[in-house]
């Protein structure tokens, strides 16, 4: 999974740095990358880390719900400049899926991906 | 059967749409537009304008209007700070209620209204989007068992209207707790209050009225200098807990004309014991590709309605061959209300539902102000 994140984070960041949608202010992300409930926590941490980089600010507040038993983790995060994120990691019941929406002050960026399982090993 | 409807408050509110929908339904008969006798000249002129458009009288004194024969129901769509007290007056007069959302600007008034409608056994419906195609589709997915037992529901409702200003990014200091004292001016609204209400109504409706148990919220000024000037958020995010361990999240706001080529991002995501499903309100989107492809353009600024709040100002994006189509509703929300009056059946989102939703909205402001999860119920 690390290899996928190492590709995903700069791919989105490079596009956002060109400011096609103005300064990014909000990230909505859904990740279904593995059926393993034990990976939810680490995947959420990685996703929140990516959000922080895309928004260009440090996380200052987090509220969470869900857990391994429920099969998902959802976090609402606030960042130092007032930016925010809603990030959800779900145990995958089928092929992996990624859905990202970044709202900028002058537009939005939408990214959907269906990574091959081998990329996530 | 003809159901007499009194419209309480006129133009530059959603009454423009509600009144037209009632008038289009052969079961309804519009009686008049009315309001409080002391409204200011602008409001009186807007009331008169809607009355003229609908070819019905404007009765300036609501008390006088409510004494008229032949009125079975009132459609109440005022500024939020008046919504509660005018709904109470109509309920006390024994009228069934079709009310705009959110229900009121004060929880005390909303709870008093709930007591009256229960005592008088009135049929009530709050306008929401549960009768629109995306919500219906999401509920059918659940009822068919496609995702199994519901564990989480996520709703993005981001209206692509208004001219975003590129504000400096600073954390918003939320001051609307315990309750906002101002909700609407001609160039700004509290957008979490106005838009997240649809999400909360969806959650309550789709879960069979499961109780809200907690809310954590964040409010922001990302887009509009007018909202910032008036201290009103243009964006809100929520993390909500419901009975049965169900989790819900909301991203709600007005995000500027450029944020979407159509009406805005609108998605419902369901997660259950068997998997997940997404309902995109614009999944029926159509696209033309050609060598005439051009970029779409935002409409010119309308000083009378700069944020594109009201349908009568008719502001649309132009210039591109692409278009995005929201699915048409099978029937209007107003027709659903008339169905309920005709069959003496409880509407799907009622005044008591509206009170529970208002409790969450006010708690959300508290959460945003105090930076913590707030327990409910």
């Amino acid at each position: 999974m690390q290899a996928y994140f190492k590709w995903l984070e700069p791919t989105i960041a490079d596009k956002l740095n060109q400011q096609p949608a103005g300064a990014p202010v909000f990230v909505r992300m859904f990740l279904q990358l593995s059926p393993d409930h034990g990976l939810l926590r680490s995947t959420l941490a990685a996703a929140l880390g990516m959000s922080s980089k895309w928004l260009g600010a440090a996380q200052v507040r987090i509220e969470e719900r869900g857990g391994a038993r429920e099969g998902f983790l959802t976090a609402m995060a606030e960042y130092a400049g007032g930016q925010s994120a809603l990030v959800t990691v779900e145990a995958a019941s089928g092929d992996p899926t990624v859905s990202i929406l970044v709202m900028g002050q002058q537009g939005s960026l939408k990214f959907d991906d269906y990574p091959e399982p081998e990329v996530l090993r | 059967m003809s159901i007499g409807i009194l419209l309480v408050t006129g133009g530059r509110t959603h009454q423009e749409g509600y009144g037209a929908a009632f008038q289009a339904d052969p079961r309804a008969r519009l009686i008049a537009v009315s309001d409080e006798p002391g409204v200011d000249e602008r409001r009186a002129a807007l009331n008169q304008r809607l009355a003229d458009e609908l070819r019905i009288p404007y009765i300036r004194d609501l008390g006088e209007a409510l004494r008229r024969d032949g009125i079975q129901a009132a459609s109440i769509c005022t500024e939020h700070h008046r919504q509660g007290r005018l709904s109470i007056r109509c309920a006390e007069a024994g009228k069934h209620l079709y009310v705009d959302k959110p229900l009121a600007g004060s929880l005390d008034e909303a709870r008093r209204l709930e007591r009256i409608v229960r005592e008088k056994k009135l049929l009530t419906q709050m306008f929401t989007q549960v009768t629109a195609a995306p919500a219906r589709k999401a509920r059918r997915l659940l009822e068919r068992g496609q995702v199994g037992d519901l564990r989480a529901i996520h709703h993005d409702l981001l209206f692509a209207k208004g001219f975003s200003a590129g504000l400096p990014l600073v954390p918003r200091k939320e001051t609307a707790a315990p309750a906002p004292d101002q909700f609407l001016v001609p160039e700004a609204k509290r957008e979490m209050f106005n838009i997240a209400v649809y999400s909360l109504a969806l959650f309550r409706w789709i879960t069979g009225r499961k109780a809200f148990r907690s809310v954590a919220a964040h409010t922001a000024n990302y887009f509009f200098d007018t909202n910032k000037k008036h201290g009103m958020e243009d964006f809100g995010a929520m993390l909500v807990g419901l009975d049965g361990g169900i989790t819900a999240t909301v991203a709600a706001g007005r995000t500027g004309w450029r944020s979407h080529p159509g009406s805005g991002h609108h998605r419902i995501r369901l997660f259950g014991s068997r998997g997940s499903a997404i309902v995109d309100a614009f999944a029926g989107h159509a696209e033309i590709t050609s060598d005439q492809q051009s970029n779409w353009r935002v409409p010119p600024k309308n000083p009378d309605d700069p944020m594109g709040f009201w349908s009568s100002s008719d502001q649309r994006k132009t210039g591109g061959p692409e278009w995005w189509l929201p699915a048409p509703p099978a029937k209007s929300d107003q027709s659903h209300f008339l169905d309920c009056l005709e069959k003496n059946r409880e509407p799907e989102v009622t005044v008591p539902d509206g009170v529970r939703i208002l409790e969450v909205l006010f708690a959300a402001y508290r959460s945003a102000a105090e930076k913590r999860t707030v327990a409910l119920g």
Side-chain angles (χ1 to χ4, degrees):
Chain A
M1 216 173 284
Q2 287 307 314
Y4 180 70
F5 289 146
K6 275 184 184 166
W7 169 80
L8 179 64
E9 187 270 308
T11 299
I12 302 290
D14 287 350
K15 194 52 81 176
L16 289 172
N17 287 340
Q18 296 164 22
Q19 298 252 322
V25 292
F26 171 72
V27 173
R28 170 66 110 164
M29 183 167 11
F30 294 98
L31 301 177
Q32 275 195 5
L33 298 177
S34 166
D36 185 348
H37 291 215
L39 292 177
L40 291 172
R41 172 67 53 194
S42 58
T43 309
L44 180 71
L48 287 166
M50 286 193 294
S51 299
S52 180
K53 286 186 176 161
W54 296 337
L55 293 167
Q59 187 182 298
V60 295
R61 179 190 175 197
I62 187 154
E63 308 277 355
E64 273 184 36
R65 284 186 60 86
R69 196 167 59 89
E70 291 86 350
F72 75 91
L73 275 171
T74 290
M76 185 188 78
E78 283 183 34
Y79 297 85
Q83 303 94 328
S84 54
L86 287 169
V87 176
T88 298
V89 179
E90 298 165 348
S93 54
D95 277 351
T97 62
V98 172
S99 172
I100 296 167
L101 172 67
V102 181
M103 298 305 297
Q105 287 185 305
Q106 305 288 345
S108 65
L109 178 153
K110 200 172 167 192
F111 175 86
D112 293 307
D113 194 18
Y114 308 91
E116 284 295 305
E118 303 88 79
V119 179
L120 299 169
R121 290 205 182 102
Chain B
M1 178 190 170
S2 174
I3 301 166
I5 309 272
L6 177 69
L7 304 182
V8 180
T9 302
R12 288 291 196 262
T13 70
H14 294 306
Q15 193 77 277
E16 294 169 349
Y18 305 165
F22 281 125
Q23 196 165 54
D25 193 307
R27 296 170 295 178
R29 184 168 44 88
L30 295 185
I31 304 296
V33 172
S34 190
D35 209 328
E36 294 176 297
V39 295
D40 62 31
E41 284 180 23
R42 175 182 179 275
R43 172 44 53 210
L46 291 168
N47 292 344
Q48 184 70 60
R49 191 163 91 186
L50 185 66
D52 293 346
E53 283 168 13
L54 297 170
R55 298 180 182 181
I56 54 177
Y58 171 31
I59 303 171
R60 287 172 177 265
D61 182 344
L62 179 61
E64 182 193 331
L66 288 169
R67 286 190 292 275
R68 292 240 171 150
D69 291 335
I71 298 172
Q72 282 79 46
S75 170
I76 301 144
C77 192
T78 71
E79 300 82 359
H80 301 107
H81 68 280
R82 301 197 295 135
Q83 180 84 354
R85 72 168 182 258
L86 292 194
S87 299
I88 287 168
R89 284 195 68 183
C90 295
E92 282 174 335
K95 307 305 177 192
H96 301 299
L97 304 181
Y98 184 81
V99 291
D100 194 27
K101 55 77 202 175
L103 190 62
S106 137
L107 264 178
D108 286 346
E109 284 180 343
R111 288 170 178 152
R112 191 171 151 216
L113 177 63
E114 182 181 8
R115 283 196 298 275
I116 295 167
V117 302
R118 285 189 193 281
E119 280 166 16
K120 291 186 175 280
K121 297 183 169 43
L122 301 174
L123 293 174
T124 63
Q125 180 168 323
M126 184 174 78
F127 173 73
T128 63
Q129 295 186 348
V130 306
T131 53
R136 296 322 243 200
K137 186 171 182 181
R139 191 161 80 171
R140 284 198 304 275
L141 288 170
L142 267 182
E143 288 170 349
R144 281 203 298 265
Q146 206 152 321
V147 300
D149 296 331
L150 184 67
R151 291 176 180 169
I153 176 167
H154 308 276
H155 195 212
D156 294 340
L157 191 55
L158 303 168
F159 290 174
K161 285 184 174 179
F163 290 88
S164 48
L167 296 172
L169 276 178
V170 289
R172 173 181 163 82
K173 187 171 169 46
E174 186 53 73
T175 58
D181 56 1
Q182 193 179 27
F183 299 91
L184 169 72
V185 293
E187 69 276 19
K189 286 180 186 176
R190 287 192 176 279
E191 298 294 358
M192 181 178 78
F193 187 73
N194 270 291
I195 300 175
V197 63
Y198 292 122
S199 312
L200 296 167
L202 170 73
F203 302 155
R204 187 165 168 82
W205 171 79
I206 209 165
T207 61
R209 295 193 163 121
K210 284 201 184 298
F212 295 110
R213 291 301 179 198
S214 67
V215 62
H218 166 77
T219 54
N221 287 102
Y222 292 147
F223 305 104
F224 307 116
D225 48 5
T226 45
N227 278 65
K228 190 172 173 66
K229 184 178 123 191
H230 291 285
M232 298 178 184
E233 78 286 350
D234 55 33
F235 181 89
M238 285 187 197
L239 178 61
V240 181
L242 290 92
D243 259 355
I246 295 171
T247 292
T249 66
V250 181
R254 185 171 297 258
T255 54
W257 292 110
R258 297 179 187 90
S259 63
H260 188 276
S263 304
H265 296 282
H266 182 185
R267 287 187 307 181
I268 302 166
R269 183 181 178 101
L270 306 170
F271 178 75
S273 55
R274 294 180 56 191
S276 59
I278 297 169
V279 177
D280 188 329
F282 298 100
H285 115 241
E287 188 172 329
I288 297 169
T289 61
S290 76
D291 60 0
Q292 297 167 38
Q293 195 112 23
S294 63
N295 290 322
W296 48 271
R297 288 185 289 278
V298 303
K301 201 162 197 171
N302 179 336
D304 196 34
D305 183 15
M307 301 294 278
F309 287 152
W310 316 117
S311 55
S312 61
S313 67
D314 195 23
Q315 299 179 63
R316 301 170 195 215
K317 289 158 191 164
T318 56
E322 309 89 349
W323 79 100
W324 275 256
L325 302 169
K331 64 164 78 172
S332 72
D333 197 68
Q334 294 76 30
S335 284
H336 277 274
F337 178 57
L338 295 172
D339 289 347
C340 294
L341 293 184
E342 212 174 36
K343 294 166 185 161
N344 195 28
R345 189 179 70 204
E346 184 182 57
E348 294 176 60
V349 180
T350 63
V351 159
D353 293 317
V355 179
R356 305 290 86 76
I357 291 163
L358 201 61
E359 288 166 352
V360 184
L361 288 169
F362 285 171
Y365 284 118
R366 201 157 70 244
S367 168
E370 297 172 8
K371 308 281 185 197
R372 65 178 181 87
T373 294
V374 172
L376 292 154

